[in-house]
């Protein structure tokens, strides 16, 4: 490994252009291209962890990158015949809400509408996550998180528009738990983390004890990068098939435009950068998992810019100004 990418990163840090960067792990063809660990204040959801000196074993919130991991777990469960396929009516699998299923407009909801965040229900997550007016926080505070999601006012026809919705991922988490008979952490450990050699992780839960499918995972950056390597290899790790290649391709097929001009698949973003196809998981604070298939490149970034409107700048700056010049 040359020191060139690290020199570029140090320049960015000195210039204040990689604000609150905690760690970067970049792999090209499975080999380390850049590995960096910094120091800064960190949080586990809303709880301050104080100033942390990050290292290879330090767990970090990946926030909504958890959604992309949940999509992988759904795909694994689908391959085992344990969850309904995307075209199935969603409310058929929530029989505890017959009143909602009786509404013909809600009866049109499918599993795919949850996968693509196009349920057509009122959902506001642009409000800071320390406010109960944020729909994901309100969901966590609700006596029944799934009813809270499914009974939101209908604002448009399902499938017509992407709208960011952690509640959609919560529904997928419930389908996985019901279908497998295991909690998300236990299923994830058995079928994803252990096969990848990930021995340490945390999956935070709400007040009801349910693991958050939308934002609860804590991983070390090296292990987050392993998940990217799995996606890059279309579901194979160390010669073992973990996820079907068909699911990886289906999951990463662009389906709806996002509000800023990228595309959304099944809980993954599909964009381009510097002429290269980019698929990504993204989380509050600057958490990113970037996969660039044509370069054989995986980049895991963790940061501490939680609820900052400019939180996206640091990871994309590191990718475009540090990693890509070293990989092309």
């Amino acid at each position: 490994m040359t020191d060139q990418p690290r020199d570029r990163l140090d320049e960015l840090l000195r210039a204040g252009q990689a604000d609150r960067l905690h760690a970067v792990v970049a792999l090209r063809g499975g080999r380390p291209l850049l590995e960096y660990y910094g120091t800064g204040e960190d949080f586990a959801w809303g709880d301050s962890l104080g100033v942390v000196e990050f290292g290879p074993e330090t767990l970090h919130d990946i926030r909504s990158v958890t959604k992309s991991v949940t999509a992988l777990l759904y795909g694994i469960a689908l391959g085992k015949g344990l969850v309904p396929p995307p075209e199935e009516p969603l409310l058929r699998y929530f029989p505890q809400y017959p009143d909602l299923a009786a509404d013909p407009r809600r009866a049109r909801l499918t599993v795919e509408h949850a996968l693509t965040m196009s349920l057509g229900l009122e959902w506001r997550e642009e409000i800071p996550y320390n406010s109960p007016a944020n729909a994901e926080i309100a969901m966590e505070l609700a006596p029944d998180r799934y009813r809270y999601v499914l009974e939101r006012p209908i604002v448009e026809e399902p499938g017509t528009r992407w709208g960011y919705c952690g509640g959609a991922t919560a529904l997928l988490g419930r389908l996985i738990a019901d279908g497998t008979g295991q909690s998300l952490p236990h299923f994830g450990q058995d079928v994803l983390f252990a096969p990848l050699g990930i021995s340490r992780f945390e999956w935070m839960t709400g007040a009801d004890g349910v693991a958050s499918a939308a934002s609860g995972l804590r991983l070390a950056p090296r292990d987050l990068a392993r998940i990217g390597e799995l996606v890059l290899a279309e579901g194979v790790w160390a010669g073992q098939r973990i996820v079907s290649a068909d699911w990886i391709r289906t999951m990463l097929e662009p389906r709806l435009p996002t509000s800023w001009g990228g595309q959304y698949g099944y809980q993954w973003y599909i964009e381009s950068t510097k002429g290269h196809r980019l698929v990504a998981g993204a989380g509050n604070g600057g958490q990113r998992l970037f996969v660039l298939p044509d370069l054989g490149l995986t980049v895991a970034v963790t940061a501490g810019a939680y609820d900052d409107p400019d939180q996206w700048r640091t990871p994309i700056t590191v990718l475009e100004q540090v990693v890509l010049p070293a990989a092309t």
Side-chain angles (χ1 to χ4, degrees):
M1 188 194 319
T2 71
D3 61 357
Q4 193 174 25
R6 181 55 193 266
D7 290 344
R8 289 196 188 98
L9 180 59
D10 286 343
E11 288 177 11
L12 283 182
L13 291 166
R14 284 194 297 269
Q17 294 179 341
D19 188 37
R20 286 173 282 182
L21 179 66
H22 290 168
V24 182
V25 174
L27 306 172
R28 176 124 195 246
R31 294 179 175 274
L33 187 67
L34 172 67
E35 192 160 356
Y36 162 83
Y37 300 98
T39 302
E41 184 180 9
D42 200 21
F43 292 80
W45 275 350
D47 296 331
S48 176
L49 302 176
V51 175
V52 177
E53 186 174 334
F54 299 96
E57 305 300 320
T58 309
L59 298 181
H60 198 287
D61 278 21
I62 65 168
R63 299 292 174 102
S64 288
V65 184
T66 306
K67 295 175 170 68
S68 302
V69 177
T70 296
L72 286 169
L73 293 178
Y74 171 87
I76 295 170
L78 182 65
K80 297 176 181 292
L82 299 175
V83 291
E87 64 271 14
E88 279 286 290
L90 184 58
L91 279 160
R92 179 179 297 170
Y93 297 89
F94 291 87
Q96 63 271 45
Y97 311 127
D99 57 319
L100 300 179
D103 181 341
R105 298 172 299 169
R106 294 181 200 276
R108 290 198 290 268
L109 293 173
T110 66
V111 176
E112 183 170 54
H113 295 140
L115 285 162
T116 57
M117 292 192 183
S118 61
L119 294 167
L121 304 176
E122 181 182 274
W123 193 269
R124 296 191 62 197
E125 246 184 271
E126 74 280 9
I127 299 163
Y129 287 89
N130 57 7
S131 168
N134 180 297
E136 183 168 334
I137 302 305
M139 173 182 71
E140 292 293 338
L141 297 173
D144 180 340
R145 67 174 65 217
Y146 308 110
R147 172 173 277 279
Y148 177 84
V149 178
L150 290 166
E151 71 179 3
R152 293 300 89 209
I154 298 169
V155 295
E156 61 191 342
E157 191 70 19
T160 58
R161 185 182 64 85
W162 175 85
Y164 194 76
C165 178
T169 318
L171 298 175
L172 297 173
R174 179 60 183 265
L175 293 177
I176 295 166
D178 284 351
T180 65
Q182 295 180 274
S183 68
L184 277 181
H186 284 111
F187 185 64
Q189 167 70 19
D190 288 349
V191 303
L192 183 62
F193 301 136
L196 287 177
I198 297 173
S199 59
R200 293 183 62 245
F201 71 95
E202 294 174 5
W203 205 317
M204 293 183 288
T205 65
D208 55 5
V210 174
S212 169
S215 63
L217 259 176
R218 289 175 55 79
L219 289 169
R222 283 180 178 175
D223 291 336
L224 181 57
R226 288 184 180 214
I227 292 171
E229 291 288 284
L230 178 69
V231 171
L232 191 61
E234 293 197 325
V236 173
W237 179 265
Q240 178 185 357
R241 170 66 62 188
I242 296 176
V243 193
S244 78
D246 282 347
W247 176 253
I248 298 289
R249 289 191 287 266
T250 297
M251 182 180 73
L252 301 181
E253 181 182 332
R255 296 177 185 276
L256 288 170
T258 64
S259 55
W260 61 87
Q263 296 286 320
Y264 200 66
Y266 285 168
Q267 306 284 301
W268 285 76
Y269 299 95
I270 301 98
E271 304 187 49
S272 64
T273 181
K274 305 294 185 182
H276 301 283
R277 181 172 183 256
L278 170 71
V279 298
N284 183 16
Q287 323 318 319
R288 294 293 187 275
L289 177 56
F290 295 125
V291 179
L292 292 89
D294 68 318
L295 295 176
L297 183 66
T298 298
V299 185
V301 179
T302 58
Y306 304 108
D307 291 330
D308 187 327
D310 292 327
Q311 60 186 265
W312 58 273
R313 292 187 185 277
T314 288
I316 199 67
T317 299
V318 169
L319 175 66
E320 293 185 346
Q321 296 188 29
V322 176
V323 178
L324 282 181
T328 54

